Amino acid sequence: MSMKSYDYLIVGAGLFGAVFARRMTDDGKRCLVIDQRDHIAGNIYSKEIDGIQIHMYGPHIFHTDNEEVWRYVQRFVKFNHFRYEPVANYKGELYNLPFNMNTFHQMWGINTPQQAGAILEQQCKEITGEPKNLEEQAIKLVGRDVYEKLIKGYTQKQWGRPCDRLPSFIIRRLPVRLRYDNNYFNHSYQGIPIGGYTKMVENMLTGIEVRLGVDYLASKAELDKLAETVLYTGPIDAYFGYKYGSLEYRSLRFETEILNCDNYQGVAGMNFTDAETPYTRIIEHKHFEFGKGNAGKTVITREYSKEWRPGDEPYYPVNDEKNQRLYEQYKELAAKEQNIIFGGRLGEYKYYDMDQVIKAALEANGQYGRTG
Ligand code: UDP
């Protein structure tokens, strides 16, 4: 019989931590969840302002093809039928995203899939052979015109690196379609939790002890005594005191404004795809819930991308070759640690979507050491 108070100490009350805590608690395990922030839900945290759910760390649209994950989230909250259909703004010219017949009509004035297909075939020929980077991959997928107006500037702002120095998988996240269909995702299920993401996570954590404002790495030795096994969802390089150097992340800065107007831009997300506009996109939060909110008010957020520096929140892992190699070194160290599991976007240095996080948390089995 163990003398420790908890079976699991879960570091991070974000999506990975909450799902793992729920699963283990349902399994009869004693869990303690801690987070250094003063709120739960990690980067999917939402907060109500003027009757509108604000996505405080950037917009999150839930989408999945995984039946089990979709059924799982329904346990905690109802989802609305929102579909993400962002608009790209290139120097005042508007284009539908993702790349589909509407975009091609707007770009080239053509009307049929045959016409679009012919232009694409012509332009995509520019790249022969396997694309070596994001730029080549983008041109191979949608041709130079779309690349120059809708991808190049946005991607450079988003990642702070030129497109020929970024991995090609990033652009393969976006669908290309010869249909008139502006749905940003190909998945069967999509929506936004009614009442907000924070409510969803709160419901996952029902009956589970949560301590906020606790910095794990600052009091590691003491906290480790509390539990048999640790689930760590913070940055893996921070865990090891950056001993091989720090992994690179992209961080974000948000400028949020409450406006005395009913409808500012008519769409949840507008991407500014030129290189000069300093922000990448403007989010108008009320459109995630079909305009719900106090009359005469709307809340918008301008999103600026920047390189992560110590003290900033890390958002996106920069999965280029250099960083991937560094991560592999940390992963080897992690494999030698006892009684700890590394999980999530930061713990695994992986560009996870929410549904993938949930799946991973439902399957995490202590591959890096004993789970007790
Ligand atoms: N992207 C682009 N133009 C756009 C939107 C996206 O070039 O208007 C590229 C950009 O490189 C971005 C990638 O597509 O990093 C993936 O976009 P996604 O919307 O999936 O990124 P996230 O929602 O994770 O920020």
Side-chain angles (χ1 to χ4, degrees):
M1 199 48 197
S2 152
M3 298 303 290
K4 295 195 171 182
S5 315
Y6 300 94
D7 296 299
Y8 288 100
L9 171 68
I10 292 156
V11 181
L15 190 56
F16 197 109
V19 170
F20 188 86
R22 178 78 269 144
R23 178 183 144 213
M24 289 306 167
T25 303
D26 290 350
D27 211 27
K29 300 287 195 288
R30 302 156 304 165
C31 296
L32 170 64
V33 179
I34 61 172
D35 200 295
Q36 61 181 357
R37 291 175 176 167
D38 63 0
H39 61 75
I40 60 164
N43 280 2
I44 64 174
Y45 177 60
S46 62
K47 186 172 135 187
E48 192 177 308
I49 300 178
D50 276 320
I52 304 163
Q53 284 296 326
I54 310 303
H55 298 217
M56 297 302 286
Y57 299 88
H60 286 80
I61 300 100
F62 193 87
H63 55 92
T64 190
D65 248 349
N66 185 309
E67 299 272 348
E68 191 194 338
V69 167
W70 185 239
R71 256 200 316 275
Y72 184 78
V73 291
Q74 314 290 317
R75 256 178 76 182
F76 306 102
V77 76
K78 275 205 168 82
F79 280 74
N80 72 14
H81 64 282
F82 178 81
R83 280 162 44 126
Y84 195 45
E85 300 185 358
V87 170
N89 184 328
Y90 178 77
K91 305 186 181 196
E93 294 171 22
L94 300 188
Y95 296 93
N96 287 109
L97 293 172
F99 314 120
N100 74 91
M101 280 306 297
N102 289 303
T103 327
F104 304 138
H105 169 73
Q106 291 146 352
M107 184 74 58
W108 298 315
I110 50 86
N111 294 344
T112 68
Q114 289 71 25
Q115 293 168 315
I119 297 178
L120 284 173
E121 197 190 321
Q122 193 56 36
Q123 295 201 1
C124 297
K125 272 203 295 225
E126 187 183 329
I127 303 300
T128 50
E130 216 24 55
K132 287 191 285 296
N133 51 51
L134 193 153
E135 176 174 281
E136 292 189 6
Q137 178 69 77
I139 296 172
K140 187 159 186 163
L141 281 173
V142 284
R144 185 162 283 276
D145 289 347
V146 173
Y147 170 69
E148 294 286 343
K149 286 191 168 178
L150 304 184
I151 297 175
K152 190 177 178 182
Y154 185 93
T155 300
Q156 225 154 87
K157 288 191 289 187
Q158 163 76 9
W159 295 97
R161 290 156 178 75
C163 294
D164 60 5
R165 284 181 32 218
L166 284 165
S168 50
F169 81 87
I170 294 176
I171 202 68
R172 290 199 301 268
R173 289 169 59 86
L174 305 189
V176 179
R177 304 188 185 111
L178 290 179
R179 285 181 288 117
Y180 287 94
D181 177 356
N182 298 328
N183 187 350
Y184 203 62
F185 304 109
N186 279 329
H187 286 161
S188 322
Y189 307 107
Q190 185 174 165
I192 302 281
I194 296 171
Y197 282 96
T198 302
K199 187 172 129 192
M200 176 176 89
V201 175
E202 219 169 72
N203 290 344
M204 286 175 172
L205 292 171
T206 301
I208 300 173
E209 189 180 345
V210 179
R211 295 185 201 165
L212 297 173
V214 179
D215 182 346
Y216 172 68
L217 295 177
S219 330
K220 184 174 181 306
E222 208 179 305
L223 289 164
D224 282 346
K225 287 189 199 133
L226 297 177
E228 300 290 339
T229 303
V230 173
L231 168 77
Y232 176 81
T233 67
I236 188 168
D237 54 343
Y239 181 89
F240 292 107
Y242 303 103
K243 77 190 273 182
Y244 298 137
S246 47
L247 289 161
E248 292 175 295
Y249 302 89
R250 291 300 286 173
S251 190
L252 299 172
R253 182 168 67 80
F254 300 106
E255 242 174 47
T256 295
E257 260 188 272
I258 303 172
L259 303 177
N260 293 319
C261 111
D262 254 324
N263 187 355
Y264 174 74
Q265 64 180 14
V267 69
M270 187 172 288
N271 292 359
F272 291 79
T273 58
D274 65 299
E276 292 76 30
T277 307
Y279 39 87
T280 49
R281 56 187 171 189
I282 297 183
I283 298 303
E284 186 171 12
H285 300 266
K286 65 171 14 176
H287 296 303
F288 289 117
E289 296 185 282
F290 310 104
K292 189 173 148 285
N294 297 351
K297 293 280 183 189
T298 194
V299 181
I300 62 163
T301 302
R302 290 188 189 81
E303 194 171 312
Y304 298 81
S305 179
K306 59 176 197 155
E307 196 64 26
W308 176 86
R309 302 262 170 263
D312 297 337
E313 295 291 349
Y315 286 84
Y316 297 91
V318 178
N319 293 107
D320 60 7
E321 275 174 41
K322 182 182 91 183
N323 283 290
Q324 214 45 45
R325 270 200 303 276
L326 185 53
Y327 169 64
E328 292 302 325
Q329 287 183 274
Y330 281 118
K331 198 176 159 191
E332 271 175 39
L333 282 187
K336 293 187 193 124
E337 292 281 292
Q338 292 289 302
N339 308 329
I340 180 159
I341 307 165
F342 292 80
R345 240 191 212 208
L346 305 176
E348 297 176 66
Y349 199 63
K350 200 166 167 185
Y351 195 173
Y352 268 138
D353 287 331
M354 287 181 282
D355 62 327
Q356 298 167 325
V357 166
I358 292 172
K359 184 166 185 291
L362 290 173
E363 288 170 357
N365 60 3
Q367 53 185 316
Y368 305 118
R370 272 190 321 117
T371 52

